[in-house]
Amino acid sequence: MVVRRGLRWIYNAILAKAQKCLLAVLAAGPVPRHIAFVMDGNRRYARRRNRKVQQGHVAGFDTLHKILDVCLQMNIYCVSAYAFAIENFKRPPGEVDALIDLLDEYGVRLNVIGRVELFPKSVQRAVRKAEKMTRHNNRAILNLCMPYASRDEMTTAIEDCVKDGLTRHVDPDTYFTKEEVDKHLMSTVRGSPPLDILVRTSGVKRLSDFMLWQCCENTQLQFSPKYWPDFGLWDFIPIILDYQRKVYSRRISA
């Protein structure tokens, strides 16, 4: 038993080292600045394994932690995640703290984007506490979009754009532009760069009211058949390679 455990430890150490080297090689090429995930399939993952729905969300939380770690090792500046279950903010403090520790380790600022005021008061306090703990981090950004709808984000951005224009007494014909609307989006206000890649898991091929404005120009859409809890490094690498191939192709044709 002791020998078996020792061999398993050695195997895991070698695997971790090989993964780190692989990610370093990928990071040497063109790397997206902003990648978004529609984390779809937690419930179906749980049902297929005859587990409770909450267990599917727990598995999805673990996958987010792992994929975020991969992205940070590749120096991807901004990660946005959609459909992060509210229940995850009610998990044992040690588990939530593990995510916060990862963010602090890499200098990541956490933004919760959406109508946070719709959460129960206890969840609102947990969200604000997590944001406060990472607010001084400036190396990278993690956006958890919840509760979020792209049409709501765009409507709010237009309203804020109009209010700002009226306050400044500017000509609406010259002020009300797509560039100004973009500046007022929740994600942009929080420091997010343009979206390079959007990944949706579980085989569903639709955006489901997620970052519709951000996806309208130069965003690569990637759809994976895997349920989000099953999504891993070897599903993610082909997406990065495809992004790099297209970047190189544009450079050659330019």
Side-chain angles (χ1 to χ4, degrees):
M1 181 66 70
V2 174
V3 173
R4 184 177 299 174
R5 289 178 180 174
L7 291 175
R8 187 181 298 116
W9 182 87
I10 293 173
Y11 171 80
N12 290 335
I14 293 174
L15 188 63
K17 185 68 175 180
Q19 175 178 315
K20 188 173 182 179
C21 292
L22 174 59
L23 294 177
V25 171
L26 289 173
V31 174
R33 288 267 293 162
H34 184 183
I35 184 166
F37 296 95
V38 180
M39 304 183 296
D40 195 15
N42 290 347
R43 290 178 175 83
R44 279 168 286 169
Y45 169 90
R47 286 197 296 266
R48 177 165 289 188
R49 288 162 177 75
N50 295 317
R51 298 177 183 175
K52 296 180 179 179
V53 170
Q54 175 59 18
Q55 291 177 297
H57 290 310
V58 169
F61 178 90
D62 293 337
T63 296
L64 173 62
H65 191 287
K66 294 173 184 176
I67 292 298
L68 179 61
D69 189 23
V70 169
C71 290
L72 295 174
Q73 289 186 57
M74 292 185 59
N75 298 317
I76 295 173
Y77 176 69
C78 182
V79 174
S80 295
Y82 188 42
F84 182 88
I86 295 175
E87 289 83 356
N88 281 315
F89 273 105
K90 301 178 182 177
R91 297 184 68 184
E95 297 182 20
V96 176
D97 289 347
L99 177 60
I100 301 300
D101 289 343
L102 176 67
L103 301 184
D104 283 335
E105 177 185 350
Y106 285 98
V108 179
R109 183 173 74 252
L110 173 66
N111 298 324
V112 178
I113 294 178
R115 297 291 184 178
V116 178
E117 66 273 12
L118 298 179
F119 285 149
K121 294 295 184 181
S122 60
V123 176
Q124 290 184 43
R125 289 193 293 269
V127 166
R128 295 313 179 200
K129 179 181 177 181
E131 288 186 319
K132 183 178 180 180
M133 291 174 66
T134 64
R135 65 182 178 183
H136 298 299
N137 296 342
N138 56 19
R139 181 181 169 187
I141 295 171
L142 170 63
N143 297 321
L144 293 181
C145 301
M146 50 176 262
Y148 170 93
S150 186
R151 287 173 292 180
D152 175 66
E153 181 184 31
M154 288 187 285
T155 300
T156 302
I158 292 171
E159 290 174 349
D160 291 344
C161 187
V162 171
K163 291 176 184 177
D164 188 34
L166 292 174
T167 301
R168 295 165 55 184
H169 303 290
V170 297
D171 183 352
D173 291 334
T174 59
Y175 178 76
F176 193 68
T177 64
K178 64 179 182 180
E179 288 79 15
E180 288 299 327
V181 174
D182 185 79
K183 289 179 184 178
H184 287 81
L185 292 172
M186 296 177 189
S187 54
T188 307
V189 169
R190 296 295 195 94
S192 303
L195 183 61
D196 296 306
I197 304 174
L198 185 143
V199 180
R200 178 165 188 160
T201 56
S202 85
V204 177
K205 296 183 179 180
R206 59 176 182 268
L207 298 181
S208 296
D209 206 9
F210 181 56
M211 292 197 165
L212 303 179
W213 180 284
Q214 293 88 336
C215 285
C216 68
E217 187 175 7
N218 296 327
T219 299
Q220 294 185 20
L221 304 180
Q222 299 279 353
F223 300 98
S224 170
K226 295 287 189 68
Y227 294 143
W228 174 249
D230 289 326
F231 188 83
L233 176 64
W234 301 111
D235 303 295
F236 187 48
I237 286 177
I239 292 172
I240 296 299
L241 290 175
D242 186 54
Y243 171 83
Q244 293 182 335
R245 178 183 61 81
K246 290 176 181 176
V247 170
Y248 285 130
S249 295
R250 288 198 297 267
R251 290 178 181 178
I252 293 173
S253 60

